[in-house]
Amino acid sequence: MQTKTLDNLQEWVDEIALLTKPDKIYWCNGSELESEHINNILIEKKVFTPLKKKPRSFWCTSDPSDVARVEDRTFICSKEESDAGPTNNWMDPDEMKSILEELFDGSMNGRTMYVIPFAMGVVGGRNSKYGVQISDSPYVVASMRIMTRMGEEALKEIRKTHEFVKALHSVGAPLLSGVEDVTWPCNPNKYIVQFPEDKEIWSFGSGYGGNALLGKKCYALRIASYLGWKEGFLAEHMLILKVTSPDKIINYIAAAFPSACGKTNLAMLDPALQGWKVETIGDDIAWLHFGDDGRLYASNPENGFFGVAPGTGWATNPNAMRTIELGNSIFTNVALTDDGDVWWEGMTEEIPTHLTSWKRQSWTSGSSELSSHPNSRFCTPASQCPTIAPEWENPDGVPISAIFFGGRRDSTLPLVFQARNWQHGVFLGATLSSETTAAATGEVGVVRRDPFAMLPFLGYHAGDYFKHWLSLASVTSENNLPKIFYVNWFRKDRNGKFLWPGFSENSRVLKWAIEQVRGETSSRESAIGLIPLPGAIDTENLNISPELMAEVLNVSKSEWENEIPLIHKWFEFIGDKMPLELWDELSFLEENIASM
Ligand code: O2Y
Ligand code: MN
């Protein structure tokens, strides 16, 4: 457990230096000068290639074996196995610590150990939290500077309170003297380990994304979800949007989607509907706290976007494109153009004739290989986004009136429906499912349950997490709680063609939901929840027939008859901690479907 000595941070840094044996120790202050210095180190090491076409921006490629989060090497080491639950890998914390101590022993030999103080949320914010990452990767320093509020200001807060999460990271590649470094040091033996009760993260072997930028998934989701359980808040895998209607009424919404389901595109939505305005508060993570008025307020703990590059383009997400155009960004595992810019599949309609691929090989259009890895990323400051809402750094967050859950499903789930009440909404979150993508290692296109889009990010037992969500209804009145919706942009027809155009047209679904929140639209009770009545979704100027709308909103008895046993199996997998209220919801659904 973290002790509160006068300088617990210095003690920890000394202890880690003794273990990892770096050549040098450097405390990061977050300044411009420091950033230039770190970037120059990375350029000199040939890790970063400066882009001629974008200011202060860099192209970077990882080791081909280190390209994504490693879920099978991710552990929640709570003291009791029953607190990690069936969805997490678990090991006894003492046993895990002794494995890790052996791996970290001398792991920073020949390298610099960077001490990176950071804030999740604005420094001094009511619900902000702090951490210190120790890392032997300058790439991590450069990325943490974009993704968190890193440096002197965060350190001052930590020195005041002595409260911080210890986030230890090593690429696990000690550099022997006389041996030339590789551009992307890493280790085939990877461990991404959270110790929730100790508020500690130990990450070994990977330099990539969620494995290495420890403020993101490890802290802001896994550790923070555990803290939320104990302290009465929620740490969720959700984007946050501000939606302004033509009559200038503002609604803030949060939405949970599994990895790479178009969340970043939705977070920067250019609405197709005239007079509607959508602004961005966050694209990936939301912390939700009760305000003094009993409503849930969301804040984005991050400072940047770490978006999937392929599929992000001028047609699909022009605001992300405008964000990166301003520079100050790192591009990892995308392709480099001959004139010193970046390119990836889906960026532009026109395909460059020649590129350097993410594998640093010459690439010509028509090649059977992709120029960019499917999980390649842009890392860019949120403040540069043209749609960023002025209140995105509001220290108290923004009041949420609707929560959306969504996944990628070919069938069964209609375009949109609303939960009858909070308990039913928790059922929808708990049964969320999606087809897998490249962000996680494993097969692509396989349907898996992903409760609240938190499957890889839960810091404790899923059953306890569902109970925590249910318990919010006893903290405040149902009226104060956000209304819950389920969306599926990805439903297909019999020929495998998407039924709904998606992207900016999704604003039509947001409009219907916001009108539902305001009690202004029309819906009908169906077996699965409240479904829009014919004509209730605004399809003006959209070339979609009433028949097609009926198909995309259809609740099919036979498809749900197939779905229910899968939900049964999922609930049984969660085991004894599965809340009875959610079993009741399942029985109710079963009865409704049977009587269709
Ligand atoms: O593959 C990685 O390491 C990045 S994962 C990621 C990054 C940004 C936002 N979301 C995710 C995710 O997997 O949900
Ligand atoms: Mn994510």
Side-chain angles (χ1 to χ4, degrees), residues 216-217 221 237 257-260 263 283-285 457:
K216 193 170 181 57
K217 304 298 188 181
L221 288 178
H237 191 203
F257 291 85
S259 305
K263 215 164 110 199
D283 79 323
D284 194 40
I285 298 176
F457 310 122

Side-chain angles (χ1 to χ4, degrees), residues 278-320:
V278 176
E279 289 162 273
T280 312
I281 307 265
D283 79 323
D284 194 40
I285 298 176
W287 286 355
L288 296 137
H289 289 82
F290 280 112
D292 298 334
D293 57 2
R295 298 185 68 190
L296 272 180
Y297 283 70
S299 46
N300 170 10
E302 299 191 280
N303 192 51
F305 306 136
F306 193 73
V308 178
T312 303
W314 289 104
T316 56
N317 193 341
N319 292 318

Side-chain angles (χ1 to χ4, degrees), residues 15-182:
E15 183 192 316
I16 297 305
L18 207 64
L19 175 68
T20 59
K21 305 176 185 65
D23 276 13
K24 280 183 260 169
I25 300 176
Y26 177 84
W27 287 69
C28 299
N29 58 35
S31 68
E32 285 291 333
L33 201 68
E34 172 184 275
S35 167
E36 238 172 79
H37 169 67
I38 298 288
N39 291 341
N40 285 336
I41 290 175
L42 287 158
I43 293 167
E44 210 169 286
K45 282 173 166 278
K46 300 204 164 34
V47 181
F48 271 1
T49 301
L51 296 179
K52 293 192 188 107
K53 297 283 180 178
K54 287 185 172 57
R56 296 168 305 281
S57 297
F58 305 94
W59 177 66
C60 177
T61 61
S62 75
D63 186 286
S65 69
D66 193 21
V67 292
R69 291 187 290 100
V70 283
E71 291 183 9
D72 56 333
R73 305 302 304 155
T74 300
F75 294 80
I76 300 295
C77 291
S78 44
K79 293 200 164 90
E80 301 296 329
E81 185 171 6
S82 59
D83 281 333
T87 62
N88 284 311
N89 298 313
W90 178 86
M91 197 188 287
D92 174 77
D94 292 334
E95 210 177 304
M96 179 59 91
K97 280 262 168 85
S98 67
I99 292 175
L100 290 172
E101 275 165 5
E102 205 167 303
L103 289 171
F104 274 89
D105 189 356
S107 73
M108 297 190 189
N109 225 307
R111 301 193 181 277
T112 299
M113 176 175 122
Y114 297 93
V115 181
I116 314 164
F118 63 93
M120 298 312 294
V122 288
V123 175
R126 180 175 177 172
N127 299 311
S128 298
K129 291 191 179 288
Y130 301 87
V132 177
Q133 177 160 355
I134 291 180
S135 175
D136 52 7
S137 161
Y139 168 86
V140 162
V141 177
S143 306
M144 284 291 282
R145 187 167 192 274
I146 296 171
M147 294 305 298
T148 69
R149 279 100 179 163
M150 177 267 257
E152 205 60 55
E153 295 304 309
L155 183 61
K156 272 189 211 152
E157 285 298 313
I158 292 167
R159 292 228 185 272
K160 265 193 243 163
T161 62
H162 304 281
E163 290 274 354
F164 66 96
V165 163
K166 294 172 176 174
L168 173 58
H169 169 248
S170 172
V171 293
L175 192 56
L176 304 177
S177 79
V179 176
E180 205 185 326
D181 203 1
V182 292

Side-chain angles (χ1 to χ4, degrees), residues 28 101 168 239 246 262 277 322-323 345 367 382 388 409 480 558:
C28 299
E101 275 165 5
L168 173 58
L239 61 84
K277 188 172 177 189
R322 290 178 193 120
T323 309
E345 280 71 20
S367 160
I388 200 82
R409 292 290 304 265
N480 271 335
S558 62

Side-chain angles (χ1 to χ4, degrees), residues 407-415 435-436 444-447 487-502 547-554 556 559:
R408 181 184 283 270
R409 292 290 304 265
D410 283 359
S411 68
T412 319
L413 276 306
L415 174 63
E435 289 168 25
T436 53
V444 174
V446 174
V447 172
V487 293
N488 177 22
W489 319 130
F490 303 98
R491 195 166 183 174
K492 290 180 178 164
D493 67 12
R494 256 182 238 115
N495 303 317
K497 189 169 167 276
F498 287 118
L499 284 162
W500 179 249
E547 293 73 33
L548 220 60
M549 280 308 290
E551 196 179 343
V552 78
L553 290 169
N554 184 37
S556 151
E559 285 177 357

